[in-house]
Amino acid sequence: METYYKNLLENNKKWVAEKLALDPDFFNKLAQGQKPPVLWIGCSDSRVPANEIIGAPPGEVFVHRNIANMVVHSDMNLLSVLDYAVNVLEVKHIIVCGHYGCGGVQTAMSNSHVGLIDNWIRHIKDVYRMNYNELQVIEDSKDRVNRFIELNVFEQVCNLAKTSIVQAAWERKADLHLHGWVYDVADGLIKDLNVNLADNSSLQEVYKLDL
Ligand code: CO
């Protein structure tokens, strides 16, 4: 265990040396500030490292991760990240990236009681309830959980669109696009769900804010 831990720090030194060998100014440039075009909202799952799977170098992706890539509109952490990304960094794209094999979504589909996390999982169960008719008729449980994972991403993209932060940005004609993706941990490929929102026109009337 001790060796494992020390290796992480050794790996860091090697990484720095590799970066500097390619570009002596690599860290000097990053130290000047960030202007990332993308906000990534992904799952905390260790197999879905945001930058790595899309080949994005440091400085390109502002990242928020939580269990099952949820956009919960009373979550101060998410809202703070979103507000900073949209209003200060002025990102152009917000990507909600779920993943097949997501333990959070699988748990939400079951009756397991895990602990405190049950309360977080509740938000995902709500997505199941909202899509009950579609999900209940899928007999194969793997197919059903995969579809649930996709529907959860779709719902979280809609949750982003419902926030006052995103709607205010659209109101002032900011170039801001929302996307939904699902990453497959089994082959490394990303499926674009083609939910691309750039205004609030597709929202149910009750969610549209007069800004
Ligand atoms: Co997950």
Side-chain angles (χ1 to χ4, degrees):
M1 204 61 200
E2 187 69 359
T3 323
Y4 171 75
Y5 163 80
K6 282 185 177 152
N7 269 345
L8 298 178
L9 295 167
E10 284 310 309
N11 290 345
N12 167 253
K13 291 198 185 83
K14 277 185 219 152
W15 176 75
V16 170
E18 282 165 18
K19 290 295 173 194
L20 290 176
L22 290 169
D23 177 4
D25 271 333
F26 185 79
F27 295 101
N28 292 337
K29 286 185 227 160
L30 286 173
Q32 284 163 23
Q34 62 168 336
K35 191 68 181 161
V38 173
L39 165 61
W40 176 278
I41 298 172
C43 184
S44 298
D45 193 304
S46 61
R47 299 164 297 177
V48 196
N51 287 62
E52 196 168 337
I53 62 175
I54 53 170
E60 271 193 30
V61 190
F62 200 61
V63 174
H64 178 80
R65 290 168 69 180
N66 61 39
I67 289 168
N69 39 271
M70 300 300 288
V71 176
V72 176
H73 69 275
S74 54
D75 174 2
M76 277 301 292
N77 188 350
L78 178 276
L79 290 175
S80 303
V81 168
L82 181 64
D83 182 55
Y84 191 73
V86 170
N87 293 319
V88 179
L89 298 173
E90 298 176 326
V91 298
K92 303 277 178 266
H93 303 275
I94 305 178
I95 298 163
V96 176
C97 187
H99 68 103
Y100 297 118
C102 186
V105 176
Q106 276 164 13
T107 305
M109 216 171 85
S110 77
N111 298 100
S112 311
H113 157 61
V114 187
L116 175 75
I117 195 183
D118 297 345
N119 299 286
W120 186 254
I121 301 287
R122 260 286 312 282
H123 295 293
I124 319 172
K125 286 184 185 285
D126 291 342
V127 176
Y128 194 94
R129 177 175 49 78
M130 286 185 268
N131 295 281
Y132 183 80
N133 291 340
E134 175 176 349
L135 290 169
Q136 268 315 96
V137 295
I138 304 174
E139 284 182 15
D140 184 80
S141 65
K142 196 166 189 296
D143 290 344
R144 193 180 334 136
V145 77
N146 284 348
R147 184 60 187 148
F148 187 15
I149 284 160
E150 293 173 357
L151 290 167
N152 184 48
V153 167
F154 175 74
E155 205 56 46
Q156 303 321 314
V157 173
C158 294
N159 283 346
L160 279 175
K162 291 168 190 167
T163 63
S164 55
I165 297 167
V166 168
Q167 290 195 46
W170 283 336
E171 181 63 26
R172 64 168 188 271
K173 305 284 177 239
D175 183 24
L176 179 64
H177 304 262
L178 313 184
H179 314 274
W181 292 356
V182 180
Y183 174 77
D184 193 339
V185 290
D187 66 13
L189 292 170
I190 291 167
K191 176 177 175 183
D192 186 350
L193 297 180
N194 290 312
V195 265
N196 301 301
L197 303 186
D199 59 54
N200 68 0
S201 62
S202 61
L203 291 183
Q204 250 185 44
E205 207 54 35
V206 76
Y207 292 111
K208 293 178 185 171
L209 302 174
D210 283 331
L211 290 153

